[in-house]
Amino acid sequence: MDILTLVEGIGESPTTALFGLLTGLIFGVSAQRSQFCLRAATVEFARGRLGPKVAVWFLTLSTAIVWVQGAQLMGLFREADARVMAVPGSWSGAIIGGLMFGAGMVMSRGCSGRLLVLASTGNLRSVVSGLIFAVTAQMSLHGILSPYRDRLASLSITGSENVNLLNALHLPSGSGLALGLAFAALALFLAVKNQIGPKTWIFASGVGFAVAVGWYLTWQLAQVAFDPVPVSSVTFSGPSANTLMFFLDRNAVLEFDVGLVPGVVIGAFATSMIAGEFRWQSFDSVPVMRRSMIGAVLMGFGAMLAGGCAIGNGVTGSSVFAATAWLALFCMWIGAIATTLLIDKQADPALAC
């Protein structure tokens, strides 16, 4: 069954949500089995190690870039149509929001995507932090925090649309794929060096593949849909807020975001049950709970200000070479490393992952 037949059979909105569900399932299964986590990678790096967490992160990033750039060269996707490229980007938002998000994910012991995966495996700490993140993101998007977000984001913008980093550097066609392959070579070197098994290789790559699947499905749907369909993929700032409102607003409609988040939950939950890794967990102490809650607030506001979370900017936006996504990713690393060195020196990077 092709996409047009599916749309004619069940409608555009249910098809969009179904594609989000499929993308989320792939992400949830892969992220749970690979223990993908940007926070853990930055903590390792801050401690002077290029360990297994860094290797997993590079495997994910390189896979996303290779698949997305390869699809573009084959005419199966056009990055210029991506929502992140079609709207103005914010340099100030990427810097300030990226730094806030990086600090917040260290304090919460997991980025927003990782918290969702952990919550699906019985981690009640992640449930609390994830809900605070979603509420703060919604407040930053449409609530009382939105004027402050708008003010900070408007300090420096890219213009009428975002900047393609490859075009800005006047690089030839195929440069994105070449860079993705270079990252893949580095990822494989680190994976071998850290004796990472083939299963982790596969599932870490699966996280990046989920990003490519989301881009491909929404772009293909946009080509046949009657109403405009945002071309998007995996991120957890906007989708967390939109999914929360879907269950609170009787007039909400089905969309990619509303399928994505439940897909991640189902995939991570089912995989943890099959692997015997589902366990109820809670906060270790009141200070840890307080710090995690503050970190979740920083992540919620920072993600909406930066235009995406560790996945939305760090993998999804980076795979189409949105300049503000790469800037936000860099600032997330800086914020996380600085926070680790200042307040998280004794924490185990594997605690949340």
Side-chain angles (χ1 to χ4, degrees):
M1 178 182 294
D2 60 23
I3 293 178
L4 180 58
T5 304
L6 183 62
V7 169
E8 292 174 344
I10 66 174
E12 292 179 8
S13 292
T15 300
T16 307
L18 180 63
F19 286 169
L21 180 68
L22 175 60
T23 303
L25 284 170
I26 298 172
F27 183 95
V29 170
S30 301
Q32 198 281 327
R33 297 308 301 152
S34 67
Q35 297 187 340
F36 169 83
C37 180
L38 176 61
R39 174 258 174 191
T42 57
V43 171
E44 270 190 350
F45 187 82
R47 294 173 182 170
R49 294 184 60 211
L50 294 177
K53 302 299 184 182
V54 175
V56 166
W57 186 81
F58 270 111
L59 282 167
T60 294
L61 176 64
S62 61
T63 301
I65 293 175
V66 168
W67 277 100
V68 171
Q69 294 298 312
Q72 171 154 280
L73 290 174
M74 296 172 63
L76 301 176
F77 169 72
R78 201 165 78 96
E79 61 188 21
D81 296 334
R83 180 167 56 182
V84 68
M85 300 302 301
V87 298
S90 170
W91 301 116
S92 56
I95 295 171
I96 301 170
L99 291 171
M100 292 180 65
F101 189 95
M105 72 179 179
V106 170
M107 296 175 69
S108 294
R109 288 162 54 180
C111 69
S112 51
R114 186 60 184 161
L115 290 180
L116 181 61
V117 171
L118 287 172
S120 307
T121 64
N123 192 311
L124 299 179
R125 171 184 55 77
S126 296
V127 172
V128 173
S129 298
L131 286 173
I132 293 173
F133 168 81
V135 171
T136 306
Q138 181 63 28
M139 291 168 63
S140 304
L141 183 62
H142 297 301
I144 60 174
L145 295 178
S146 61
Y148 303 101
R149 177 184 62 85
D150 292 339
R151 190 176 306 168
L152 291 172
S154 63
L155 293 176
S156 178
I157 60 175
T158 60
S160 60
E161 59 186 24
N162 211 327
V163 175
N164 184 299
L165 194 58
L166 299 178
N167 293 340
L169 296 174
H170 304 291
L171 296 176
S173 176
S175 297
L177 178 60
L179 185 58
L181 292 172
F183 278 136
L186 173 61
L188 293 176
F189 169 77
L190 292 176
V192 172
K193 179 182 178 181
N194 289 283
Q195 299 180 332
I196 295 177
K199 288 185 179 180
T200 303
W201 288 30
I202 293 171
F203 286 113
S205 299
V207 178
F209 179 69
V211 169
V213 168
W215 281 130
Y216 170 78
L217 290 177
T218 56
W219 188 80
Q220 292 291 334
L221 178 60
Q223 308 311 301
V224 301
F226 179 77
D227 295 319
V229 174
V231 178
S232 58
S233 188
V234 183
T235 185
F236 294 105
S237 47
S240 295
N242 292 338
T243 303
L244 177 65
M245 293 308 299
F246 178 80
F247 292 104
L248 296 177
D249 185 357
R250 298 177 63 179
N251 297 318
V253 298
L254 287 170
E255 54 185 348
F256 183 85
D257 294 353
V258 176
L260 176 69
V261 173
V264 174
V265 171
I266 294 169
F269 170 75
T271 307
S272 68
M273 291 295 289
I274 293 171
E277 296 177 354
F278 184 93
R279 290 178 178 82
W280 296 111
Q281 301 176 58
S282 187
F283 289 100
D284 302 325
S285 64
V286 171
V288 171
M289 180 177 182
R290 181 170 57 246
R291 194 173 76 171
S292 295
M293 294 172 70
I294 294 172
V297 172
L298 288 174
M299 281 199 299
F301 184 79
M304 298 310 298
L305 177 59
C309 61
I311 304 296
N313 275 318
V315 183
T316 302
S318 298
S319 68
V320 295
F321 288 92
T324 55
W326 281 91
L327 178 59
L329 173 61
F330 175 75
C331 291
M332 287 176 188
W333 275 81
I334 297 298
I337 291 171
T339 305
T340 299
L341 296 176
L342 287 172
I343 68 171
D344 205 35
K345 294 179 180 179
Q346 302 302 320
D348 183 351
L351 281 175
C353 304

